[in-house]
Amino acid sequence: MTKRITVQDSYAARQRISGKVRCTALVRSDTLSDQSGADVHLKLEHNQITGSFKLRGATNAVLSLTKEQRTKGVVGASTGNHGRGLAYAAKQAGVRCIICMSELVPQNKVDGIKAQGAEVRIIGRSQDDAQEEVDRLVAEGMVMLPPFDHPDIIAGQSTLGLEMLEQMPDMDTAVIQLSGGGLISGVAMVLKAANPDIRVIGVTMERGAAMYECLNAGKPIFVEEVPTLADSLGGGIGLDNQYTFNMVRDLVDDIVLVSEVEIAAAIRHAYWEERQIIEGSGSVGIAAVLAGKIKTPGRCVVLTSGQNIDMKLHHRIISGEDVDVTAEG
Ligand SMILES: *Cc1c(COP(=O)(O)O)cnc(C)c1O
């Protein structure tokens, strides 16, 4: 039986992680509001410690371990930001941490995780390959903390929903990144509990939209991971998905897909108009608004979920270069 994750779990998570993660700002975007004819605000979560919201779930999960589990240490497979958050959270708690990841992960993310004090192991061409090494370490007694499909991770990410409600109680629409779905499951659970009329829109990239394909298939299926500017949204949802597939199916109103060109335009917009450095995955919400793909946004919160982009790549994009990562992979 899988546990049902509730708003109580969200408040418990917030109490646990209080003082260990930042409450990030919500700011109005005049340019996005003007362009969309709506009232668009950005929730600047890319300014979170470690550069993404993943620190919320990781901190909640590490602080929820039993004393015995803490002594064994934690292990995770990650496209980068989860590993970074987990490494930081474990270090803060004095817990050993090993992160396993695939060769597709950019070097800046590998370095970022090492800098947080975790051990890094690089295995295979996909997140699923890295998962096999995780399973081996779990057999040796370490505790696996996955990037999205875990109640403590989802509850940790859901604290973003609590903050969004406090910062804009009368929100009509929330635009949230979607990959494995831990983020949007938690946020949607909290927002819908407060007001079922709040529309929760998931945004992901056209290239390798795993959850989208799975929902169309009616069950978790294999979706190939391919290079994209939104590299933190890569990877499958797991064929044995326990939580996020059902939660996204039941709680998310719509899913919008954005192209590589639209993501690049959003990274540029974020930099030149909003003065924010946001990674591709963190920019897909802005991309959807700019492309006119969010219907009747009204009072709208657009999440910016991460900042961990290679700065040379970022420089090329904001300088107007026509970057095509899909040809480089
Ligand atoms: C992990 C991640 C996401 C997607 O979160 P899921 O819980 O896997 O859906 C979005 N943006 C960034 C920057 C991330 O690191």
Side-chain angles (χ1 to χ4, degrees):
M1 257 294 279
T2 55
K3 180 181 178 298
R4 189 180 151 79
I5 304 155
T6 68
V7 176
Q8 267 156 2
D9 298 312
S10 190
Y11 279 106
R14 174 145 81 177
Q15 207 159 38
R16 226 172 265 127
I17 71 179
S18 161
K20 299 185 165 67
V21 307
R22 271 178 207 144
C23 174
T24 50
L26 183 77
V27 298
R28 187 171 195 273
S29 167
D30 293 336
T31 54
L32 287 177
S33 297
D34 289 348
Q35 287 186 33
S36 62
D39 192 16
V40 180
H41 293 243
L42 297 174
K43 171 70 170 159
L44 304 178
E45 182 68 9
H46 65 287
N47 291 329
Q48 186 53 263
I49 304 163
T50 72
S52 88
F53 72 89
K54 291 259 183 12
L55 183 65
R56 294 175 186 262
T59 302
N60 185 48
V62 167
L63 296 179
S64 299
L65 295 173
T66 65
K67 216 171 167 189
E68 199 196 329
Q69 288 173 323
R70 275 175 179 243
T71 61
K72 297 215 162 119
V74 294
V75 54
S78 172
T79 59
N81 285 337
H82 172 62
R84 215 174 152 112
L86 187 57
Y88 181 92
K91 186 150 195 212
Q92 295 302 306
V95 171
R96 185 188 178 200
C97 176
I98 300 179
I99 303 295
C100 309
M101 64 182 77
S102 88
E103 291 163 10
L104 288 181
V105 176
Q107 187 62 37
N108 69 311
K109 297 207 165 188
V110 180
D111 294 343
I113 286 164
K114 283 185 181 156
Q116 309 289 357
E119 246 175 85
V120 171
R121 291 194 192 161
I122 298 174
I123 296 116
R125 290 283 298 169
S126 75
Q127 216 163 326
D128 293 340
D129 290 339
Q131 186 63 42
E132 284 181 18
E133 176 69 2
V134 172
D135 294 343
R136 208 182 57 72
L137 292 167
V138 168
E140 289 176 4
M142 296 186 82
V143 177
M144 176 187 62
L145 290 175
F148 53 86
D149 201 30
H150 186 290
D152 296 332
I153 299 289
I154 296 168
Q157 321 305 30
S158 78
T159 60
L160 254 175
L162 298 177
E163 276 176 31
M164 286 162 58
L165 278 173
E166 285 156 6
Q167 291 167 319
M168 192 191 277
D170 57 346
M171 139 188 27
D172 296 309
T173 310
V175 179
I176 310 291
Q177 289 75 8
L178 171 62
S179 174
L183 170 64
I184 202 169
S185 292
V187 170
M189 181 270 293
V190 164
L191 297 185
K192 294 286 185 183
N195 177 1
D197 290 339
I198 297 174
R199 285 164 67 230
V200 180
I201 311 294
V203 186
T204 194
M205 68 292 182
E206 288 172 354
R207 293 175 52 81
M211 182 65 83
Y212 178 81
E213 303 285 349
C214 292
L215 289 169
N216 284 343
K219 60 174 197 283
I221 56 169
F222 175 77
V223 178
E224 199 189 343
E225 187 174 352
V226 290
T228 166
L229 276 176
D231 56 287
S232 296
L233 303 184
I237 71 162
L239 293 178
D240 58 345
N241 188 290
Q242 301 287 304
Y243 295 94
T244 60
F245 176 78
N246 288 337
M247 290 182 78
V248 172
R249 184 195 55 205
D250 297 345
L251 295 169
V252 174
D253 293 281
D254 205 359
I255 297 175
V256 165
L257 304 184
V258 291
S259 70
E260 296 298 306
V261 168
E262 287 164 347
I263 296 168
I267 293 172
R268 272 183 211 113
H269 174 94
Y271 183 78
W272 293 109
E273 302 295 335
E274 315 289 348
R275 297 170 182 253
Q276 303 290 340
I277 294 170
I278 307 177
E279 64 176 279
S281 307
S283 308
V284 297
I286 293 174
V289 173
L290 282 176
K293 290 180 172 176
I294 307 296
K295 300 296 168 218
T296 60
R299 294 263 290 158
C300 179
V301 174
V302 177
L303 186 71
T304 59
S305 54
Q307 66 165 210
N308 295 321
I309 184 169
D310 182 298
M311 286 307 284
K312 290 198 193 78
L313 174 65
H314 187 267
H315 187 260
R316 286 165 61 200
I317 294 169
I318 57 113
S319 302
E321 194 180 316
D322 194 8
V323 177
D324 183 5
V325 294
T326 68
E328 290 168 16

